[in-house]
């Protein structure tokens, strides 16, 4: 049983098309046009003077993670492992322990997020039934010189405040 072979005609048979000279010159003309236009009149260039001028951040933007607390200061997280299970990059590590404040049965003893592994998809926020984890810190520049400082622990995530007011978050403006 023979396979059907379809012959496709190749384009670019002329000498200039084979050398690609015409296309190279077209591309260089566009590049040099932009270069000389920007060199002679740079008033139309879009330049952001960071860090003096901070970018405007929408409340819907997903920034660095934080954990929330109840009004009495206890952790909202009940260590249900929904965020860890839902995380596609497996960057969340939770260890559960017994809770004695009467709010639920469990609480996290360890809650670590590796920011170098995180893809900032927001699935952990969507999966949380207690609204314990949020990505509304407004922190857009996450840098470090060593890997260990890029792993957020429980206490650091609880210390991080939200950048946007609670009213806009509750109305669904995130």
């Amino acid at each position: 049983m023979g396979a059907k072979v379809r012959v496709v005609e190749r384009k670019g048979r002329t000498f200039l098309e084979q050398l690609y000279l015409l296309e190279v010159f077209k591309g260089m003309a566009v590049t040099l046009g932009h270069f000389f236009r920007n060199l002679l009149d740079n008033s139309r260039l879009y330049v952001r003077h960071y860090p003096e001028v901070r970018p405007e951040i929408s409340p819907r933007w997903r920034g660095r993670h934080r954990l929330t607390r109840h009004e009495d200061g206890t952790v909202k997280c009940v260590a249900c492992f929904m965020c860890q299970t839902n995380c596609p990059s497996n960057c969340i590590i939770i260890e559960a322990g017994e809770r004695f404040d009467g709010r639920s049965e469990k609480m996290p003893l360890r809650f670590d997020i590796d920011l170098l592994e995180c893809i900032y998809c927001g699935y952990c926020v969507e999966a949380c039934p207690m609204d314990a984890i949020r990505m509304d810190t407004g922190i857009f520049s996450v840098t470090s010189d060593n890997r260990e400082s890029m792993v957020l622990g429980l206490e650091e995530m609880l210390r991080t405040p939200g950048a946007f007011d609670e009213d806009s978050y509750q109305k669904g403006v995130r």
Side-chain angles (χ1 to χ4, degrees), residues 28-80:
M28 287 303 294
V30 170
T31 302
L32 288 174
H34 286 295
F35 175 74
F36 286 117
R37 186 185 70 224
N38 292 337
L39 184 67
L40 298 175
D41 181 25
N42 61 4
S43 64
R44 296 188 307 167
L45 288 177
Y46 179 73
V47 177
R48 180 174 289 152
H49 299 283
Y50 179 81
E52 291 84 19
V53 179
R54 301 282 182 170
E56 291 183 26
I57 298 174
S58 165
R60 295 178 54 135
W61 181 77
R62 291 190 293 256
R64 207 184 80 184
H65 308 76
R66 75 179 177 109
L67 285 177
T68 57
R69 297 178 184 263
H70 290 288
E71 293 77 28
D72 62 356
T74 58
V75 182
K76 279 189 179 180
C77 180
V78 293
C80 65

Side-chain angles (χ1 to χ4, degrees), residues 103-120:
R103 287 203 177 263
S104 66
E105 295 176 3
K106 299 185 296 183
M107 66 179 287
L109 297 178
R110 176 181 174 203
F111 196 111
D112 292 342
I113 295 183
D114 189 350
L115 296 178
L116 294 175
E117 297 288 330
C118 181
I119 59 173
Y120 295 90

Side-chain angles (χ1 to χ4, degrees), residues 1-5:
M1 177 180 220
K4 292 185 179 181
V5 177

Side-chain angles (χ1 to χ4, degrees), residues 82-156:
M82 291 294 291
C83 56
Q84 182 178 352
T85 305
N86 217 21
C87 181
S89 61
N90 296 323
C91 66
I92 301 175
I93 299 170
I94 302 173
E95 288 181 13
E98 192 173 350
R99 188 173 208 147
F100 298 105
D101 59 4
R103 287 203 177 263
S104 66
E105 295 176 3
K106 299 185 296 183
M107 66 179 287
L109 297 178
R110 176 181 174 203
F111 196 111
D112 292 342
I113 295 183
D114 189 350
L115 296 178
L116 294 175
E117 297 288 330
C118 181
I119 59 173
Y120 295 90
C121 61
Y123 288 169
C124 55
V125 178
E126 293 176 15
C128 184
M130 301 301 294
D131 192 29
I133 187 168
R134 293 186 182 170
M135 296 176 78
D136 63 349
T137 59
I139 300 172
F140 58 88
S141 180
V142 182
T143 61
S144 178
D145 58 351
N146 60 1
R147 183 168 178 77
E148 291 79 24
S149 63
M150 295 300 283
V151 177
L152 295 181
L154 177 66
E155 291 303 318
E156 186 175 358

